[in-house]
Amino acid sequence: MKFLKYLFFSLLIFFTSCDPPHDLIFINQGNSVAKVKIQIDTTLEYNEFSKFDELKSDTLVYNLKPSDTCVLFFGIGTWSEKEIKKIANLINKLEIENADFKETYKTKARIEQTLLEKREDKTGWKTKIIFEIK
């Protein structure tokens, strides 16, 4: 009984005291190389994308081999609608392509809508936005 109390309080403390990381994830599940291109708005004074080493001028480009994953870490917390709107406003264009298709999101409203649709909610925390490229 003492063990169960200890386990219960340990789990309670774990789930109430930690903030999970929130990520933007691209998973290449296809058979060809996938290219993810994020064009950011460089006119803004602060842009969370500027912390990524891969940033060239105003664009982040990731080439993902089949079965590769790219994870962009945006600190701790959850992807609330406010957080998603903030990130969407930093992006001018999002392109995802492979040998079979090319998807381009050009407006901030469409980018925000897509990020909201891709937001994952498995544990009650919306901590991941996942793009599965097939």
Side-chain angles (χ1 to χ4, degrees):
M1 184 67 170
K2 188 175 183 179
F3 174 74
L4 290 176
K5 277 186 179 180
Y6 174 74
L7 180 63
F8 173 74
F9 284 115
S10 296
L11 290 173
L12 182 65
I13 289 170
F14 174 75
F15 284 112
T16 59
S17 68
C18 67
D19 281 329
H22 63 289
D23 302 319
L24 180 56
I25 302 170
F26 298 92
I27 303 170
N28 185 1
Q29 296 177 337
N31 295 323
S32 63
V33 172
K35 184 176 188 178
V36 175
K37 199 170 168 182
I38 305 169
Q39 185 181 40
I40 62 166
D41 188 349
T42 57
T43 63
L44 301 172
E45 187 173 319
Y46 175 72
N47 193 317
E48 289 191 56
F49 287 97
S50 63
K51 67 183 177 183
F52 296 108
D53 294 335
E54 300 86 3
L55 181 63
K56 304 291 185 233
S57 180
D58 68 345
T59 306
L60 288 166
V61 177
Y62 299 97
N63 291 303
L64 305 173
K65 296 176 186 171
S67 301
D68 273 359
T69 300
C70 173
V71 178
L72 303 177
F73 174 70
F74 287 92
I76 58 173
T78 60
W79 284 114
S80 65
E81 289 186 20
K82 182 180 174 182
E83 283 284 317
I84 288 178
K85 185 176 192 74
K86 184 174 135 184
I87 290 297
N89 283 327
L90 301 175
I91 301 172
N92 283 337
K93 185 167 38 169
L94 173 62
E95 293 179 10
I96 302 170
E97 69 178 298
N98 67 12
D100 296 326
F101 75 92
K102 180 175 184 176
E103 292 179 3
T104 303
Y105 306 98
K106 296 180 181 180
T107 67
K108 294 186 185 297
R110 181 64 176 125
I111 292 167
E112 180 181 349
Q113 177 187 0
T114 301
L115 294 175
L116 284 168
E117 290 170 0
K118 302 289 186 181
R119 180 173 57 174
E120 183 182 67
D121 181 16
K122 282 199 173 179
T123 61
W125 293 339
K126 296 173 180 162
T127 61
K128 298 176 184 173
I129 298 173
I130 301 176
F131 285 84
E132 295 176 344
I133 305 163
K134 298 181 181 185

